[in-house]
Amino acid sequence: MKVVLVLIGSSSVVSGGPLHHISDTHWHPATATWYGSPNGDGSDGGACGYGSLVDVRPLRARVGAASPVLFKGGEGCGACFKVKCLDKSICSKSAVTVIITDECPGGYCSGGCTHFDLSGAAFGRMADAGFSNQLRNRGEISIVYRRTPCKYRGKNVAFRVDEGSTDHWFSLLVEFEDGDGDVGSMNIRQANSTEWLEMMHLWGANWVIVGGPLVGPFSVKLTTLSTAATLSARDVIPRNWSPKATYTSRLNFS
C-alpha cells in the first residue's frame, strides 16, 4: 500500500511506499585500509562530490571510500554502513558507522572485492581505547560490515545546485538523506507544471537535466536506490536560484 504524508503548512510533501529503511541484521566479511592522516577525515571531497561537507559534522571522521561493488557507479554514495574489526585483543566490541563519500577503484578494491578504505579517524575508532595506532599500523585488516539506516539528527534533506548549472543544464546533489542514504532516481517539476521531468545520473551523487529553458521554482522528487522510498519537496528551489547554493527542504525520511 502506498503511503502519502502531507506536511501541513509547509512547502514539502513526503510520499512513497512502506515507511521502512534499509537495514541488515547479518554481518558480512570484507577488508579495510585507511588513508590520509592518522586522525584525519580522509578525502577532501571525494568521488561522490560532497566537497567540504566531508570535513564538518555530521560527516566528519565518518567518511569512507568503497570498492565498486558498494560504490555502484556513484549510486551508492550516501549509504551508511556499520563496520568493526575482528581481533579481540585490540578491537572494540562496538561498531563504527561510516558513510560512503568516495570510491577506491584499484589495488585492494579491485577484482570484485568488498573493501572499505576509511579515513584514519574512522579506522582508528574500530579499536579499543589506546590501540588506534596499533590497529592502523597493521595496514589491511579483515572486518565485518552491515548496512544501517543513515541518521542526520536535526537535519532535513537539502539540494545543492552545481556551480555550472544554467537554465538549460541544471544539476543537483542530495545532502543529509536519512534512511537509505542513496539515490536511485531524481525528478524535478517546473513552476506551474504537473509534469515530473526525469534527471540523469551524472557522476558520484550528482544528477542533471538538460533542456529548457527551465523555469523555477522547482519541486524535487527523489527515489532511493535500496528500497524505492520516495520524497517530494515542493518548490524547494526558488525561481531566483543561484549556482553553488544549497536549498534545504522541511522534511526527511523518518
Side-chain angles (χ1 to χ4, degrees):
M1 179 179 67
K2 285 286 184 180
V3 177
V4 178
L5 301 178
V6 180
L7 199 57
I8 302 299
S10 126
S11 60
S12 303
V13 177
V14 180
S15 63
L19 296 180
H20 62 84
H21 305 301
I22 190 72
S23 186
D24 189 354
T25 58
H26 301 287
W27 292 96
H28 308 280
T31 52
T33 48
W34 62 277
Y35 67 120
S37 61
N39 294 295
D41 302 325
S43 62
D44 181 13
C48 289
Y50 294 124
S52 60
L53 272 184
V54 302
D55 300 322
V56 296
R57 294 180 183 275
L59 272 70
R60 185 178 183 182
R62 299 173 64 195
V63 306
S67 56
V69 294
L70 296 178
F71 188 73
K72 301 176 182 177
E75 290 187 345
C77 289
C80 297
F81 293 87
K82 287 188 179 296
V83 296
K84 58 183 180 179
C85 57
L86 302 175
D87 186 342
K88 296 180 180 178
S89 66
I90 63 172
C91 291
S92 171
K93 294 180 180 178
S94 300
V96 176
T97 299
V98 296
I99 305 160
I100 301 305
T101 62
D102 202 355
E103 180 184 24
C104 57
Y108 293 116
C109 299
S110 62
C113 297
T114 303
H115 185 87
F116 292 84
D117 198 15
L118 304 177
S119 68
F123 193 95
R125 286 180 179 176
M126 290 191 292
D128 274 330
F131 289 94
S132 294
N133 287 333
Q134 185 175 336
L135 183 65
R136 282 190 289 261
N137 287 340
R138 293 189 175 184
E140 184 190 18
I141 62 171
S142 295
I143 65 167
V144 288
Y145 76 98
R146 65 179 175 87
R147 191 71 179 273
T148 190
C150 298
K151 297 178 181 178
Y152 297 105
R153 290 181 176 85
K155 297 284 188 180
N156 287 330
V157 170
F159 302 93
R160 188 201 310 165
V161 180
D162 185 271
E163 63 182 347
S165 290
T166 69
D167 58 358
H168 287 82
W169 189 94
F170 189 73
S171 178
L172 294 175
L173 178 142
V174 179
E175 300 175 355
F176 306 126
E177 178 197 331
D178 280 349
D180 295 348
D182 53 23
V183 178
S185 66
M186 284 185 64
N187 302 76
I188 67 168
R189 188 175 63 198
Q190 299 184 79
N192 303 317
S193 175
T194 60
E195 180 183 6
W196 286 105
L197 303 175
E198 184 177 2
M199 304 186 79
M200 299 179 295
H201 182 229
L202 185 60
W203 66 274
N206 295 272
W207 295 73
V208 68
I209 185 168
V210 180
L214 301 167
V215 180
F218 298 116
S219 300
V220 182
K221 178 170 65 175
L222 69 86
T223 302
T224 69
L225 178 68
S226 299
T227 66
T230 61
L231 175 150
S232 301
R234 188 173 60 218
D235 297 340
V236 64
I237 299 173
R239 178 181 296 273
N240 59 339
W241 59 268
S242 298
K244 299 174 68 173
T246 299
Y247 299 100
T248 302
S249 71
R250 299 186 184 181
L251 73 167
N252 211 326
F253 291 103
S254 57

